[in-house]
């Protein structure tokens, strides 16, 4: 027995020793990471395979070696080979493009995050990859994992990119990276894939039921509620309103148009849908405050005129008016199309899919779409303040040596409608047919031979838009779509390009996020009094794990960002 | 009189035994009725009626999707190969470790045991493992990445050790006295009487290999090397992704089977196991008795 | 019943040397050289695939940057552990993790043993095979599929929900009543694992020396008595060893099952949220490898301490069942 205990002691000693050693080694060095961030924005990746050192505008000095670029797409594409053949055919006479060969692979969306992080950890040889915002994009950018592509934009050598990425959009794509010393460097670390900038929020409702019960046309929230009320009274089996998976604190009926008050993805750092609102001064250069639901009055006092009260909680309370019409079983979330709701929350881009799914099961149902935001309903210009980027990006790993080839390919693909449509829809006449210049419809080829490509992973762009047949057929919907895709509908938010650096407040952020997740998933279950109580409890608990530090950090970073942007 | 008493008691005992067994079987089977039934149902009916035991509209669409995939036979092949080779390799590693650890005369056995057990609790995580396997050992897109990194199961090894420890010493002692060495004893004496244990642990390994998909997801991109389980999982994820995309871009989905596909893939994955299991089962319930050899 | 005859008592005290000399070790290695050599392939495997990657544990004390890799990332001391302990529900998730795992461990062990005893007693061969084959079916169903038909059973319009409403008159809202869920989860675990778990016990039981049972029958023991006096004591070794291994994992929640079945339904968190699900949610957006590694490390250390303790206790009571 002694022998055994001796060994045990040795083992225990080793373990404790290792633990103690590592504890000691950590000591007090709170070295902020990412000291190489500044570097990447300076060194533009312009390496290896392209000899274009002397660019005297004659074009013929550019030459390219035979290169194959490895492209990684998220989600399945099919029958790519025939499209690649056409690509080879189309480019065979171009001195540069004919040398660029494409090697595609795809990874299923569910596995994508794991595989992406592993590929970065092992620095695998990919030259162009998809990276979603939810994959940790901003962290990767801050750590310098992606190449800076800014030299390729607004560059006459890349006319295709100039056409497709211009004005507000390319400005929106610019990231501001915070350096160790607090200064900012800018860079474009990815190519954003967007078609519309923001999805129009709305409700899809049963037009056939509206007509059946003689409800007024739905033109505002009151008529919507009247419709919902009438239908639920007459059809006891039906749910009045289905919020799908809309979990945010606010009611879906809140108006997004505020003056000098902003809330957008890159600021909502407290969890997917726990919104932070930032108030700016009139000239947009000074941060007044960043607020969340449940804040004390003194926080609200600092906000711009008209927003000096807890409007976030008020949005939440507004939604409780609709509680009687919600699904009583809304605790457990499913994503089935609820065919049995009088009205369902639905972003415009999803309208077509949902209608089709529903009509497959119930062909007799008819639908209409009601847009929540009044300014959008009235098709006002500049009604939507947006950061004008989506969550879908194509990135080039920093260690890739074929960046030029990649950018030439993108320049080609985003160069003309024809090139773009080849990769987005396939071979015209086979995989798809055009409806005029604006529309498209599925082609006649069999499903097995049809080319499909997840467009959000490679090809989406606001310059090259085609509407589906479903949309083209319906005048009202087409008008809504055109408005949604029109760039003049949008104003670029002054906070676009900001990325929050979590280094200093990671622990606090993790704590608050965990609490937010819990609350937002259940907020639709509470009535007015309960909701206020829950929000206040959440706020107190969040304070205890460091909400204030997060707030202050956010404000100071935002201010520094604005200063850098405005050239201070 | 004694006999009658025993019979009554025995009958009561039997009733209890059979009742428990039957109840448990119903408990196990009952969701399978839903799984099987749902695999034949049309997708639109799921929206309307939920998960059926008897499908309202019988369709083979889900199975066509699963079995129609040209890669499925190849995937079966890959899985059968990795299961067979993997089980053999794993059993080799397991037995060679378990036997010495089961013998009291091996003085370092506790040290080695702890050395192995420690790894059941502590691990370095995915990143270093990934670097090791893909960069340093260069096993990416290699069929052996489905075998070698997962070959040794400490849990199985401890069970095997227990089986070995339960074998009476007398068997080996007489062989020692006849001059046999440890390897000969293991091969000629211990293994033959360990058939139940070996069969059990082999079964556990085989089932693990059969169900394996995680390593395939990480390390294999050559679709001809996909094991069955991963192929099925990809099919499912794809359909989910396609539906997602359809929902968000208004693409037509047709009657794309998602729920029924999920059920069908379960059936296809379990099927072979269920067919084989009764045959394998006899090996570890045969109870090759030690007594028979002794006597 | 002659219990001394039946219990093969093994000597508790092995002869030991005063201290283990270097020379003594070499002698031991030489004496049993074939046996030690045998373990070599596995040892190499374990070193390569388990010990080499262990350097990744340092991520728990670092702020991991993909660019700088594991060695280059900066140290942050114990910071990565803070978020877990600062969580106001930390007590709740610790309790749930241990409580649920204990429930699972006990219920599946008891059920597996009970069922194994039952299966062995079924003498009709065909029925025996059918029963044992059916019993392992559930093991192969993925939790996602389980979650789907669970809602068809205890969901709003589920079968069980309807039965209960008919019988008691009040509508039980299972998906919003956390109190039911430990029971539901245990039933799920039994469904999934008890049948598979019988395999080991059945193999063990059928391997026992039949002579003992013969002798017992001659002495007039009923089948029930044979089970309690012969089978169960002999099964103790295996059962206890498996239990100790289960205790080593007691601080690791069953993420696969719980997340698939409970998901984001926060109403059920008070009784079902375990460490692993909490960490998953908290770090979902942050993408912080250091924090998740820190949590795993913490869970492993607790598990190790528990195993040491339990193993030591077992050594005194049932030495053959101890792991080391």
């Amino acid at each position: 027995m002694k022998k055994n205990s001796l060994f045990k002691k040795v083992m225990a000693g080793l373990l404790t020793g290792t633990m103690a050693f590592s504890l000691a080694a950590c000591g007090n060095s709170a070295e902020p990471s990412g000291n190489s961030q500044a570097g990447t924005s300076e060194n533009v990746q312009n390496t290896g395979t392209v000899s274009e050192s002397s660019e005297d505008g004659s074009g013929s000095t550019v030459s390219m070696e035979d290169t194959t670029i490895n492209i990684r797409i998220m989600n399945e594409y099919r029958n790519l080979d025939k499209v690649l053949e056409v690509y080879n055919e189309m480019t065979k006479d171009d001195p540069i493009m004919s040398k660029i060969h494409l090697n595609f692979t795809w990874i299923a969306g569910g596995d994508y995050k794991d595989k992406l992080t592993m590929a970065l950890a092992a620095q695998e040889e990919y030259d162009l990859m998809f990276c979603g915002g939810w994959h940790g994009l901003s962290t990767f950018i801050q750590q310098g994992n992606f190449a800076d592509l800014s030299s390729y934009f607004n560059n006459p050598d890349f006319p295709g990119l100039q056409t497709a990425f211009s004005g507000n959009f390319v400005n929106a794509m610019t990231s501001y990276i915070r350096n160790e010393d607090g200064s900012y460097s800018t860079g474009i670390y990815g190519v954003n894939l967007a078609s519309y900038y923001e999805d129009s929020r709305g409700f899809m409702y049963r037009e056939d039921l509206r007509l059946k019960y003689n409800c007024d046309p739905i033109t505002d929230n009151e008529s919507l509620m009247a419709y919902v009320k009438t239908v639920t009274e007459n059809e006891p089996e039906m749910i009045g309103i289905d919020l799908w998976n809309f979990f945010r604190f606010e009611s879906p009926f809140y108006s997004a148009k505020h003056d000098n008050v902003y809330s957008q993805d890159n600021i909502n750092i407290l969890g997917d849908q726990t919104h932070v609102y930032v108030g700016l001064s009139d000239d947009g250069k000074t941060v007044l405050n960043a607020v969340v639901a449940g804040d004390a009055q003194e926080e609200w006092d600092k906000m711009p005129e008209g927003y000096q009260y807890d409007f976030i909680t008020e949005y939440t309370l507004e939604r409780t008016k609709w509680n009687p019409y919600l699904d009583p079983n809304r605790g457990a979330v499913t994503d089935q199309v609820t065919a049995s709701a009088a009205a369902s929350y639905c972003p415009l881009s999803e309208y077509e899919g949902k209608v089709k799914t529903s009509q497959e099961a119930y062909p007799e149902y008819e639908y209409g779409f009601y847009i929540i935001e009044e300014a959008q309903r009235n098709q006002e210009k500049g009604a939507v303040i947006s950061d004008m980027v989506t969550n879908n990006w194509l990135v080039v790993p920093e260690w890739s040596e074929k960046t030029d080839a990649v950018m030439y390919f993108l320049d080609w693909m985003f160069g003309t409608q024809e090139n773009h449509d080849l990769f987005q829809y396939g071979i015209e006449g086979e995989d798809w047919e055009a409806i005029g210049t604006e529309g498209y419809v599925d082609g006649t080829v069999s499903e097995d031979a049809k080319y499909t490509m997840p467009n959000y992973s490679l090809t989406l762009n606001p310059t090259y838009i085609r509407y589906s047949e479903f949309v083209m057929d319906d005048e009202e919907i087409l008008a809504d779509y055109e408005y949604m895709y029109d760039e003049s509908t949008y104003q670029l938010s002054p906070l676009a390009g900001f990325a929050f650096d979590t280094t200093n407040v990671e622990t606090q952020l993790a704590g608050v996020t965990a609490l937010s997740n819990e609350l937002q998933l259940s907020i639709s279950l509470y009535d007015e009094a309960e909701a206020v109580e829950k929000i206040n409890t959440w706020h107190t608990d969040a304070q205890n794990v460091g909400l204030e530090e997060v707030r202050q950090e956010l404000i100071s970073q935002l201010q520094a960002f604005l200063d850098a942007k405005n050239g201070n | 009189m004694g006999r009658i008493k025993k019979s009554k008691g025995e009958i009561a005992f039997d009733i209890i035994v059979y009742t428990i067994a039957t109840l448990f079987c119903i408990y196990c089977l009952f969701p399978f009725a839903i799984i099987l039934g749902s695999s034949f149902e049309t997708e639109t009916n799921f929206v309307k009626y939920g998960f059926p035991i008897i499908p309202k509209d019988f369709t083979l669409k889900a199975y066509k999707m699963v079995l129609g995939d040209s890669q499925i036979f190849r995937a079966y092949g890959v899985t059968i190969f990795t299961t067979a080779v993997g089980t053999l390799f794993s059993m080799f590693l397991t037995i060679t470790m378990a036997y010495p650890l089961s013998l009291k005369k091996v003085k370092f056995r506790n040290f080695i045991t702890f050395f192995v057990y420690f790894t059941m609790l502590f691990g370095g995580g995915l990143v270093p493992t990934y670097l090791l396997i893909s960069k340093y050992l260069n096993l990416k897109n290699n069929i052996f990445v489905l075998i070698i990194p997962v070959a040794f199961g400490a849990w199985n090894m401890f069970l095997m050790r227990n089986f070995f420890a339960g074998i009476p010493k007398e068997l080996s002692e007489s062989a020692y006295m006849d001059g046999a060495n440890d390897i000969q004893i293991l091969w000629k004496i211990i293994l033959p009487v360990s058939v139940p244990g070996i069969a059990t642990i082999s079964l556990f390994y085989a089932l693990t290999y059969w169900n394996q998909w995680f390593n395939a997801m990480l390390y294999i991109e050559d679709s001809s090397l996909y094991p069955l389980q991963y192929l099925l999982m990809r099919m499912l994820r794809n359909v989910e992704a396609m539906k997602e995309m359809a929902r968000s871009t208004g693409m037509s989905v047709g009657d794309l089977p998602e729920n029924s596909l999920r059920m069908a893939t379960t059936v296809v994955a379990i099927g072979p196991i269920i067919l084989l299991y009764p045959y394998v089962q006899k090996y570890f319930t045969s109870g090759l008795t030690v007594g028979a050899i002794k006597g | 019943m002659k219990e001394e005859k039946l219990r093969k008592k093994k000597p508790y005290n092995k002869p030991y040397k005063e201290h283990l000399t270097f020379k003594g070790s070499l002698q031991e290695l030489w004496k049993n050289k074939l046996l030690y050599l045998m373990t070599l392939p596995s040892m190499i495997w374990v070193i390569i695939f388990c010990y080499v990657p262990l350097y990744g544990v340092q991520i728990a004390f670092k702020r991991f940057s993909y660019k700088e890799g594991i060695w280059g990332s900066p140290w942050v001391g114990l910071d990565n552990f803070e978020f877990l302990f600062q969580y106001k529900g930390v007590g709740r998730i610790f309790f749930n993790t241990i409580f649920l795992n204990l429930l699972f461990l006990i219920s599946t062990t008891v059920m597996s043993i009970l069922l194994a005893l039952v299966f062995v007693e079924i003498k009709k061969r065909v029925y025996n095979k059918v029963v044992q084959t059916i019993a392992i079916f559930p093991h192969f169903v993925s939790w996602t599929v389980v979650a789907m038909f669970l809602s068809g059973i205890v969901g709003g319009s589920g079968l069980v929900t309807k039965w209960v409403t008919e019988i008691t008159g009040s509508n039980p809202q299972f998906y919003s009543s956390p109190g039911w869920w430990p029971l539901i989860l245990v039933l799920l675990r039994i469904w999934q694992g008890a049948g598979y778990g019988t395999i080991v016990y059945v193999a063990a039981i059928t391997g026992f020396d039949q002579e003992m049972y013969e002798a017992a029958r001659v002495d007039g023991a009923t089948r029930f008595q044979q089970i309690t006096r012969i089978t169960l004591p002999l099964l103790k070794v295996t059962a206890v060893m498996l239990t100790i291994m289960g205790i080593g994992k007691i601080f690791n929640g069953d993420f696969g099952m719980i997340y698939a079945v409970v998901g984001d339904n926060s109403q059920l968190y008070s009784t079902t949220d375990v460490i692993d699900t909490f960490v998953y949610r908290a770090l979902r957006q942050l993408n912080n490898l250091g924090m998740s590694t820190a949590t795993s490390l913490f869970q492993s250390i607790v598990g190790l301490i528990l195993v040491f303790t339990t193993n030591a206790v077992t050594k005194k009571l049932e030495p053959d069942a101890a792991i080391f």
Side-chain angles (χ1 to χ4, degrees), chain A residues 26 33 143 506 518 521 541, chain C residues 63 66 77 87-88 264 288:
Chain A
C26 313
S33 74
Q143 291 175 355
E506 241 173 29
E518 273 184 46
L521 290 169
D541 293 336
Chain C
R63 183 151 201 278
Y66 286 91
Y87 175 51
K88 74 163 178 172
D264 287 325
N288 187 320

Side-chain angles (χ1 to χ4, degrees), chain B residues 124 127-128, chain C residues 55-64 70 80 289-290 293:
Chain B
V127 174
Chain C
Y55 74 94
V57 163
Q58 61 185 296
I59 300 179
F61 303 101
K62 290 190 162 187
R63 183 151 201 278
F64 184 68
I70 299 181
N80 288 333
L289 194 58
T293 313

Side-chain angles (χ1 to χ4, degrees), chain A residues 39 46 51 81 192 197 227 350 445 456 491 547:
Chain A
N46 214 347
S51 50
D81 292 332
N192 193 250
Y197 294 114
Y227 156 78
E350 317 226 351
V445 75
Y456 50 79
Q491 290 182 46
L547 178 63

Side-chain angles (χ1 to χ4, degrees), chain A residues 25-47:
Chain A
C26 313
N28 48 13
S29 61
E31 247 199 79
S33 74
N35 38 18
S36 55
Q37 304 149 356
T40 50
S41 63
E42 251 79 301
N43 325 332
V44 170
Q45 292 294 331
N46 214 347
T47 65

Side-chain angles (χ1 to χ4, degrees), chain A residues 270 502-515 542-551, chain C residues 79 82-83 86 286 291:
Chain A
L270 293 182
T502 59
T503 318
N504 295 336
V505 287
E506 241 173 29
T507 312
Q508 294 89 330
L509 203 53
V512 178
T513 315
L515 295 168
Q543 295 277 31
N544 289 340
V545 286
L547 178 63
E548 274 318 304
E549 283 116 312
V550 175
R551 189 209 304 271
Chain C
D79 285 356
E82 273 179 41
F83 87 102
Q86 279 182 5
L286 274 191
M291 288 187 187

Side-chain angles (χ1 to χ4, degrees), chain C residues 27-312:
Chain C
Q27 277 176 346
E28 164 63 19
L29 283 178
W30 183 255
K31 191 167 125 203
N32 287 317
K33 61 178 179 296
L34 283 180
L35 292 171
Y36 288 111
L37 225 57
M38 254 199 256
T39 67
L40 210 53
S42 302
M43 287 292 271
I44 295 177
W45 188 97
V46 166
I47 292 175
I48 296 180
F49 289 102
C50 299
Y51 279 93
V52 164
L54 264 186
Y55 74 94
V57 163
Q58 61 185 296
I59 300 179
F61 303 101
K62 290 190 162 187
R63 183 151 201 278
F64 184 68
S65 153
Y66 286 91
K67 188 142 183 260
E68 319 210 32
I70 299 181
W71 297 102
S73 298
W75 296 99
V76 292
L78 292 177
D79 285 356
N80 288 333
F81 294 87
E82 273 179 41
F83 87 102
L84 180 63
F85 290 96
Q86 279 182 5
Y87 175 51
K88 74 163 178 172
V90 66
R92 181 188 75 185
I93 56 178
F94 280 15
F95 174 76
N96 281 345
T97 310
I98 299 183
F99 179 62
L100 286 177
N101 276 345
L102 263 182
L103 282 183
F104 296 155
L105 190 59
I106 297 174
S107 59
T108 49
T109 308
V110 165
M111 281 303 289
S112 289
I113 296 181
L114 175 67
L115 288 170
L117 296 171
V118 162
F119 290 167
V120 164
E121 294 293 337
I122 296 181
K123 300 301 182 198
K124 294 197 171 52
R125 267 195 57 202
V126 171
Y127 196 63
N128 185 317
K129 284 207 179 203
V130 165
V131 160
Q132 290 204 44
T133 311
I134 292 180
I136 65 162
F137 279 16
H139 178 84
F140 302 102
V141 181
S142 76
W143 286 117
T144 339
V145 174
V146 174
M148 284 166 74
F149 63 72
L150 184 68
S151 63
I153 298 178
V154 294
S157 45
L159 291 171
V160 169
T161 319
K162 286 195 186 138
W163 290 345
V164 175
T165 319
E166 273 175 37
I167 298 176
T168 63
S170 63
N171 188 0
Q173 298 271 36
F174 288 112
Y175 274 97
S176 41
S177 324
W180 282 104
W181 283 81
L183 176 64
I184 296 180
L185 290 177
V186 165
L187 289 176
L188 279 180
R189 269 294 278 263
I190 292 180
W191 178 81
Q192 196 237 26
Y196 192 74
T198 61
I199 297 179
V200 177
Y201 294 112
V202 165
I205 295 175
T206 53
F208 294 153
D209 193 348
Q210 292 303 308
E211 286 184 0
M212 294 184 289
Y213 293 97
E214 292 291 333
R217 255 194 296 278
V218 162
D219 281 352
T222 64
R223 281 157 81 186
F224 185 74
Q225 282 174 317
Q226 288 170 41
I227 290 179
T228 51
R229 302 287 185 97
I230 306 180
T231 318
L232 285 183
L234 288 177
L235 277 183
K236 239 196 270 183
V237 175
T238 310
V240 170
M241 186 190 80
L242 289 177
T243 306
I244 298 182
M245 296 212 279
I247 289 182
K249 291 282 182 184
I250 208 163
F251 222 49
N252 296 56
D254 191 344
F255 178 78
M257 170 174 74
I258 299 181
Y259 190 70
V261 169
V262 171
D264 287 325
N265 187 351
S266 59
Q267 293 174 284
L268 302 179
Y269 286 167
S270 56
T271 56
T272 62
D273 204 25
V274 294
I275 297 176
D276 304 64
T277 47
F278 164 71
V279 171
Y280 175 76
R281 287 198 318 273
L283 300 182
R284 229 189 326 214
Q285 279 125 356
L286 274 191
N287 199 26
N288 187 320
L289 194 58
M291 288 187 187
S292 44
T293 313
T295 313
S296 307
L297 183 60
F298 175 68
Q299 289 172 306
S300 304
I301 293 177
V302 172
L304 187 68
I305 296 175
L306 288 175
V307 166
F308 263 138
T309 321
T310 330
N311 196 59

Side-chain angles (χ1 to χ4, degrees), chain A residues 196 198-204 242-246 248 252 344-355 368-372 376 470 477 480-481 484, chain B residues 246-250:
Chain A
Y196 52 83
E198 297 285 337
D199 219 332
S200 299
R201 293 172 294 125
F203 280 88
M204 61 186 262
D242 169 28
L243 292 182
W244 192 41
N245 59 357
F246 185 92
R248 294 154 50 162
S344 298
Y345 175 76
C346 175
L348 184 59
S349 66
E350 317 226 351
Y351 176 62
E352 182 182 341
K354 285 181 165 232
V355 168
F369 195 79
Y370 163 69
I371 294 192
I372 298 173
Q376 289 176 334
F470 176 90
I477 298 290
D480 288 335
Y481 264 76
M484 185 167 86
Chain B
R247 250 184 254 136
S248 60
T249 62

